[in-house]
């Protein structure tokens, strides 16, 4: 048994997230956490809402709410949606927790004591109309790199470039629209990342199993030109800076947000003090494997900023062993965007269709090596084929035949023949391949091999045709039906991490009651087993209803027509 620590990038608090956010970190992290639990590993899956900084203030302003009340409401909304998608967090916390404030200030003091914090005067955007400095996201303008006219002050959504508000062309205030902006002096604190380039490169040299594009992005940052990072902002909402002269300033959201992974673990441990110690996962540990899941826009913060904080502290904190990054999921040829309300949002997705349909398509098409484009037509066609025609049809016709021919029970009698023994060896190989892809964090390949088991099971059932043997060779019909049902069980177990509700429905119908179905340790034996002969089958209706042409038209009208979540 291994100890596996999994964190997903914290979703911003400002509104319901879209499918791109879901597949970019949250969902694959959940799939891997579920898979690891199936193996019997000790898993801690941590996430939470990122509630500090300008996204929270701007969201609250737009909603006409106090920022704390806004964060409280939005956290509850997001947590409910993620439960609806079956995300199995061990703890879903908040970056506003007291533990995160304490830890953030702790890291700042250590970095300062180690000579890695420097106070500097910077030229910052001032809005006369607003009567205040405008931190990054309070400034909108034209990106100097790609020309996007709606770039934010910290990052351009179109090209992904990290920005400084002073770089903008034609800047304007996100609060008032004021274009008469000025540059004035303001004192801020910088994390001296440039002093940690050698340590960060040495750390990166010891990491393996990262996607090539994540390593390339990290290396492109870790050069002699690595700039020191400003870690304070002129805001009221955030972690206060414990330094004389910095009253009224807070830490930059990207300084405190990754520290919230640790703080959320402390909150998790505090829920049940007996037998839990958060330090077992973060402090001076060598028996924990730590995996981070995040979108490519978060790569610099997790390969430079956060490890710089941990390594620069001089304390024995656990750093990521593997960073699994994802490219973008695009929508109808353009970008999903929370700020622009473009795309399919998670609450609307759950209103329309069961979570497992979305989970399956997103994992089977995960943007691992390049961007993936989502269209309603492609989604419906793939789901209808994979879940309804292949997996659903396999389950439906096998159970229906067992109900008619064997009184709704797993049949006993007969001995497996050469076809079953050959099938058992083949399935054992396929199950091993699915496991290999999950362990390698190759989600599309894991889904493809999972689908291949369903296809092979359908092929076996069609070729063996137990319905044609019922009168002439009932023992053989029993063997084929039992083998098919055993194979359906194996197929459901290996699919459980991706489509947990559908898989659990099948396993329950087969009489299994494990909350976490163990990964098949002996698939050859399982396929040929007679252990469950005569067990009654819980026969139900169709496993997966196909998405009709009428529903496809409705989805296209709803999502292409611009209907968005009200949250």
């Amino acid at each position: 048994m291994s100890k596996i620590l999994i964190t997903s990038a914290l979703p911003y608090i400002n509104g319901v997230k879209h499918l791109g956010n879901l597949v970019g970190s949250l969902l694959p992290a959940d799939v891997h956490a579920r898979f690891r639990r199936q193996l019997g590993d000790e898993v801690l899956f941590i996430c939470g809402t990122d509630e500090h900084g300008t996204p929270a203030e701007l969201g609250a302003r737009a909603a006409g709410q106090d920022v704390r009340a806004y964060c409280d409401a939005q956290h509850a909304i997001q947590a409910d949606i993620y439960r609806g998608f079956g995300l199995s967090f061990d703890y879903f916390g908040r970056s506003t927790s007291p533990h995160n404030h304490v830890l953030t200030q702790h890291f700042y003091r250590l970095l300062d004591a180690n000579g890695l914090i420097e106070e500097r005067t910077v030229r910052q955007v001032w809005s006369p109309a607003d009567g205040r400095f405008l931190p990054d996201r309070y400034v909108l303008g034209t990106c100097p790199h790609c020309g996007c006219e709606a770039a934010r002050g910290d990052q351009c959504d179109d090209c992904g470039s990290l920005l400084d508000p002073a770089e903008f062309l034609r800047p304007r205030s996100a609060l008032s629209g004021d274009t008469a902006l000025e540059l004035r002096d303001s004192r801020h604190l910088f994390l001296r990342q440039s002093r940690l380039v050698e340590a960060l490169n040495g750390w990166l040299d010891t990491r393996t199993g990262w996607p090539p594009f994540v390593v390339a992005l990290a290396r492109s940052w870790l050069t002699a030109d690595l700039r020191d990072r400003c870690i304070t902002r002129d805001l009221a909402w955030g972690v206060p800076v414990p330094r004389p002269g910095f009253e009224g300033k807070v830490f930059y959201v990207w300084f405190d947000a990754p520290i919230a992974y640790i703080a959320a673990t402390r909150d998790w441990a505090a829920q049940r003090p007996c037998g839990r110690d958060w330090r077992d996962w973060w402090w001076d540990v060598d028996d924990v494997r730590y995996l981070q899941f995040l979108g490519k826009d978060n790569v610099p913060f997790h390969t430079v900023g956060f490890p710089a904080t941990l390594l620069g502290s001089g304390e024995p904190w656990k750093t990521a062993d593997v960073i699994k990054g994802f490219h973008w999921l695009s929508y109808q040829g353009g970008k999903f965007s929370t700020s622009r309300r473009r795309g399919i949002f998670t609450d609307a997705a759950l209103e329309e269709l069961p979570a497992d349909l979305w989970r399956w398509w997103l994992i089977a098409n995960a943007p691992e090596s390049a961007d993936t484009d989502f269209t309603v037509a492609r989604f419906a066609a793939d789901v209808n084929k994979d879940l309804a025609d292949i997996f659903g049809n396999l389950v439906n016709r096998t159970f229906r035949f067992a109900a008619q021919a064997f009184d709704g029970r797993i049949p006993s009698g007969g001995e497996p023949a050469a076809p079953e023994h050959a099938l058992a060896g083949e399935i054992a190989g396929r199950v091993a391949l699915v496991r290999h892809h999950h362990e390698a964090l190759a989600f599309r390949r894991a889904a493809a091999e999972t689908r291949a088991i369903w296809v092979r099971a359908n092929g076996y059932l069609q070729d063996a045709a137990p319905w044609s043997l019922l009168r002439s060779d009932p023992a053989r019909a029993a063997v084929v039906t039992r083998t098919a049902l055993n194979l359906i069980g194996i197929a459901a177990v290996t699919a459980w991490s991706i489509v947990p509700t559908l898989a659990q429905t099948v396993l329950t119908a087969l009489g299994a009651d494990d909350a976490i179905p163990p990964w098949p340790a002996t698939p050859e034996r399982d396929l040929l087993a007679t252990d469950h002969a005569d067990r009654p089958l819980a026969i139900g209706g169709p496993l997966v209803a196909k998405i009709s042409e009428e529903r496809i038209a409705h989805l296209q009208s709803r999502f292409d027509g611009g209907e968005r979540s009200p949250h």
Side-chain angles (χ1 to χ4, degrees):
M1 182 178 73
S2 301
K3 290 181 69 174
I4 306 295
L5 174 62
I6 295 173
T7 61
S8 168
L10 308 185
Y12 278 134
I13 195 66
N14 58 329
V16 171
K17 304 299 111 179
H18 52 68
L19 294 185
N21 299 128
L22 185 67
V23 74
S25 59
L26 297 160
L27 180 56
D30 176 70
V31 170
H32 194 68
R34 287 176 174 274
F35 163 72
R36 286 289 180 176
R37 294 185 189 115
Q38 287 187 279
L39 296 183
D41 290 335
E42 184 180 358
V43 175
L44 182 60
F45 180 19
I46 294 292
C47 192
T49 40
D50 184 356
E51 302 185 12
H52 288 141
T54 53
E57 287 196 350
L58 289 172
R61 182 184 180 91
Q65 290 181 288
D66 168 79
V67 66
R68 184 171 294 279
Y70 173 79
C71 289
D72 290 345
Q74 293 299 318
H75 173 82
I77 289 169
Q78 288 201 36
D80 187 59
I81 289 171
Y82 301 145
R83 280 190 292 269
F85 271 100
L87 303 187
S88 58
F89 304 120
D90 289 289
Y91 191 79
F92 186 68
R94 307 176 64 175
S95 67
T96 49
S97 79
H99 277 143
N100 196 41
H101 281 231
V102 170
L103 275 169
T104 298
Q105 293 175 341
H106 170 77
F107 276 109
Y108 154 71
R109 291 187 177 99
L110 289 174
L111 293 166
D112 191 28
N114 292 338
L116 294 171
I117 299 293
E118 185 172 82
E119 186 175 332
R120 299 178 186 175
T121 298
V122 299
R123 300 285 282 169
Q124 191 166 333
V125 177
W126 171 271
S127 168
D130 298 314
R132 60 173 291 175
F133 284 109
L134 299 179
D136 40 42
R137 289 199 175 207
Y138 279 51
V139 185
L140 303 176
T142 300
C143 175
H145 303 288
C146 72
C148 170
E149 296 182 353
R152 306 189 314 262
D154 63 341
Q155 188 169 9
C156 176
D157 278 341
D158 273 19
C159 69
S161 297
L162 298 183
L163 300 172
D164 186 288
E167 298 178 77
F168 272 153
L169 307 176
R170 297 179 291 282
R172 64 187 184 278
S173 167
L175 298 176
S176 62
D178 181 16
T179 58
L181 304 182
E182 305 171 4
L183 288 177
R184 295 188 181 181
D185 288 346
S186 181
R187 297 294 287 173
H188 282 282
L189 300 180
F190 282 73
L191 173 59
R192 304 182 74 179
Q193 297 178 147
S194 58
R195 289 193 168 189
L196 292 166
V197 172
E198 184 176 350
L200 289 167
N201 270 311
W203 169 75
L204 186 59
D205 287 342
T206 64
R207 309 295 99 171
T208 59
W210 295 24
F213 86 91
V214 173
V215 177
L217 281 174
R219 293 293 188 195
S220 72
W221 278 81
L222 294 175
T223 68
D225 296 326
L226 177 65
R227 293 190 294 178
D228 297 335
R229 189 72 175 170
C230 181
I231 60 168
T232 53
R233 293 293 186 270
D234 288 295
L235 288 171
W237 181 248
V239 179
V241 179
R243 187 183 184 100
F246 278 74
E247 299 80 7
K249 296 181 191 286
V250 300
F251 284 108
Y252 177 38
V253 64
W254 264 112
F255 181 67
D256 85 80
I259 296 170
Y261 299 141
I262 306 173
T265 307
R266 294 189 68 170
D267 292 333
W268 162 81
Q271 283 188 332
R272 295 181 184 175
C274 298
R276 285 182 175 176
D277 190 337
W278 65 272
R279 297 173 188 84
D280 292 341
W281 295 91
W282 286 101
W283 184 264
D284 197 21
V285 293
D286 56 13
D287 62 339
V288 174
R289 182 166 173 80
Y290 177 20
L291 300 97
Q292 294 176 344
F293 291 81
L294 46 94
K296 63 183 176 183
D297 55 329
N298 291 338
V299 168
F301 302 108
H302 287 76
T303 59
V304 179
F306 188 35
T309 297
L310 298 178
L311 298 174
S313 74
E315 293 185 330
W317 294 99
K318 177 64 181 176
T319 58
D321 293 294
V322 176
I323 295 179
K324 174 66 176 182
F326 290 85
H327 292 269
W328 304 124
L329 180 72
S330 59
Y331 176 71
Q332 306 280 81
K335 281 195 172 183
F336 278 85
S337 173
T338 299
S339 59
R340 301 177 195 175
R341 312 303 300 162
R342 184 180 193 279
I344 300 177
F345 289 76
T346 48
D347 56 348
L350 289 177
E351 289 170 6
E352 292 291 350
L353 293 166
D356 277 4
L357 275 62
W358 302 105
R359 286 178 64 109
W360 172 259
W361 193 91
L362 291 170
I363 290 298
N365 296 276
E368 294 179 283
S369 58
D371 293 352
T372 297
D373 191 48
F374 178 98
T375 69
V376 170
R378 181 183 174 194
F379 163 76
D382 289 350
V383 165
N384 282 345
K385 177 184 177 183
D386 294 346
L387 296 184
D389 291 344
I390 301 177
F391 188 44
N393 182 53
L394 168 69
V395 173
N396 295 338
R397 65 175 179 162
T398 307
F399 274 60
R400 193 163 52 242
F401 177 71
Q404 296 168 354
F406 299 103
D407 297 323
R409 293 178 177 272
I410 300 174
S412 59
E415 292 294 328
E420 286 70 48
H421 288 286
L423 178 66
E426 180 184 346
I427 292 302
R430 290 190 179 278
V431 169
L433 196 54
V434 175
R435 174 172 176 167
H436 168 75
H437 291 320
H438 274 298
E439 289 177 332
L441 306 178
F443 291 93
R444 292 177 72 139
R445 291 181 177 179
E449 288 301 328
T450 299
R451 184 196 300 112
I453 292 176
W454 304 344
V455 171
R456 183 65 185 90
N458 270 297
Y460 167 76
L461 189 65
Q462 190 64 34
D463 292 342
W467 45 85
S468 68
L469 300 169
L470 198 56
R471 291 187 179 180
S472 61
D473 194 347
R476 177 65 184 155
V479 168
V480 172
T481 305
R482 186 172 62 248
T483 302
L485 290 167
N486 287 344
L487 182 48
I488 286 172
I490 294 171
V493 169
T494 53
W496 180 81
S497 64
I498 304 175
V499 285
T501 301
L502 288 176
Q504 198 63 58
T505 298
V506 172
L507 293 170
T508 299
L510 290 168
D513 58 3
D514 297 299
I516 299 173
W519 190 262
T522 56
E524 286 184 89
R525 180 196 174 282
D526 297 344
L527 187 72
L528 304 176
T530 59
D531 307 31
H532 305 309
D534 296 322
R535 176 185 286 180
L537 300 168
I539 308 296
L543 180 66
V544 180
K546 296 189 76 167
I547 304 175
S548 67
E549 292 296 330
E550 291 77 14
R551 175 52 67 89
I552 293 171
H554 165 73
L555 293 174
Q556 289 176 327
S557 175
R558 176 174 186 180
F559 298 129
D560 295 352
E563 183 177 337
R564 298 293 180 259
S565 163
H567 299 302

